[in-house]
Amino acid sequence: MSMDEKNIENRKSEELVPPYFTFVWAEDQNGLIGKEGRLPWSLPNEMKYFVEVTTGDVVVMGRKTYESIPNPPLKNRVNIILTRDENYEAEGAIVCHTKEEIMEAVKDIKKPIHIIGGVSLFEMFMDEVNLLYRTIVYDEFEGDTHMPQIDYKHFRVFQSRIGETDEENIYPHHFYVYERKKLAHPF
């Protein structure tokens, strides 16, 4: 059973049927999500969680996010890249140039569609997102990229879990899953 199926079992509101959009990200306590195209921290628990949430599904990302991934594309997922570069190619991934192309590419895929960055994609799909997979790292880091403002009054937390700290996961962190109170129906 996938992480999404587990989460959906805990939902209380109307039925959420794929395809639907989610955001998946980690931020520090000030909303920082990046430094020079990379995560500003090392947190293996968060990376493991990301894999659990997204494996078997669709991941949508900008070109810079895609290029920051070691050995892309992400395995066992449909990878979709948004870029303005009409000549951009990425073996094993679908390349799109507009939001409309992304919507067309995913409309018949009966799986969750996870937006994983960057900022412009989060902003672009703010009105379509139904689930938020938000990890908060309780520390302050230096960086140059912050998560766009989300109006959390339209969402409710329906799952949360404190991440375990150890020698490899030294930063306190918390995993939250939010659902939109009134679901968006982009298709």
Side-chain angles (χ1 to χ4, degrees), residues 1-13 16 20 22-24 49 52-54 57 112 114 131-134 156-161 175-179:
M1 182 180 297
S2 77
M3 190 63 144
D4 274 305
E5 289 167 334
K6 287 183 228 168
N7 290 338
I8 289 171
E9 287 175 1
N10 296 325
R11 297 183 75 253
K12 303 273 189 282
S13 63
L16 184 59
Y20 55 84
T22 83
F23 289 174
V24 184
Y49 180 72
E52 287 174 10
V53 168
T54 63
D57 296 337
H114 305 288
L131 293 179
L132 307 175
Y133 292 92
R134 177 188 190 199
R156 73 173 187 90
V157 174
F158 74 94
Q159 187 179 60
S160 75
R161 175 171 54 96
F175 303 104
Y176 293 94
V177 184
Y178 301 74
E179 69 173 341

Side-chain angles (χ1 to χ4, degrees), residues 106-123:
V106 301
K107 72 178 184 184
D108 295 323
I109 299 175
K110 301 297 183 211
K111 296 179 178 291
I113 302 146
H114 305 288
I115 307 296
I116 63 170
V119 170
S120 63
L121 268 163
F122 290 128
E123 292 171 341

Side-chain angles (χ1 to χ4, degrees), residues 140-186:
E140 293 183 31
F141 297 87
E142 296 292 321
D144 53 21
T145 308
H146 287 81
M147 186 67 184
Q149 288 294 321
I150 294 174
D151 190 348
Y152 287 100
K153 76 179 181 193
H154 299 294
F155 294 87
R156 73 173 187 90
V157 174
F158 74 94
Q159 187 179 60
S160 75
R161 175 171 54 96
I162 296 172
E164 292 183 31
T165 55
D166 56 29
E167 313 79 46
E168 292 183 347
N169 297 278
I170 62 172
Y171 305 110
H173 54 289
H174 202 132
F175 303 104
Y176 293 94
V177 184
Y178 301 74
E179 69 173 341
R180 186 178 289 275
K181 292 176 184 175
K182 185 173 184 329
L183 294 179
H185 299 284

Side-chain angles (χ1 to χ4, degrees), residues 42-107:
S42 174
L43 196 59
N45 280 350
E46 201 282 321
M47 296 310 298
K48 180 180 176 195
Y49 180 72
F50 174 83
V51 170
E52 287 174 10
V53 168
T54 63
T55 296
D57 296 337
V58 178
V59 289
V60 179
M61 67 202 91
R63 178 192 52 80
K64 290 179 186 174
T65 299
Y66 179 77
E67 291 176 352
S68 74
I69 297 168
N71 307 309
L74 291 171
K75 308 298 182 256
N76 303 314
R77 285 156 270 206
V78 176
N79 287 242
I80 298 177
I81 305 162
L82 178 66
T83 179
R84 287 187 210 98
D85 182 349
E86 294 289 332
N87 299 313
Y88 192 79
E89 295 181 15
E91 189 174 330
I94 299 167
V95 177
C96 295
H97 304 97
T98 64
K99 179 179 181 179
E100 292 72 29
E101 285 182 31
I102 293 171
M103 297 295 282
E104 185 63 30
V106 301
K107 72 178 184 184

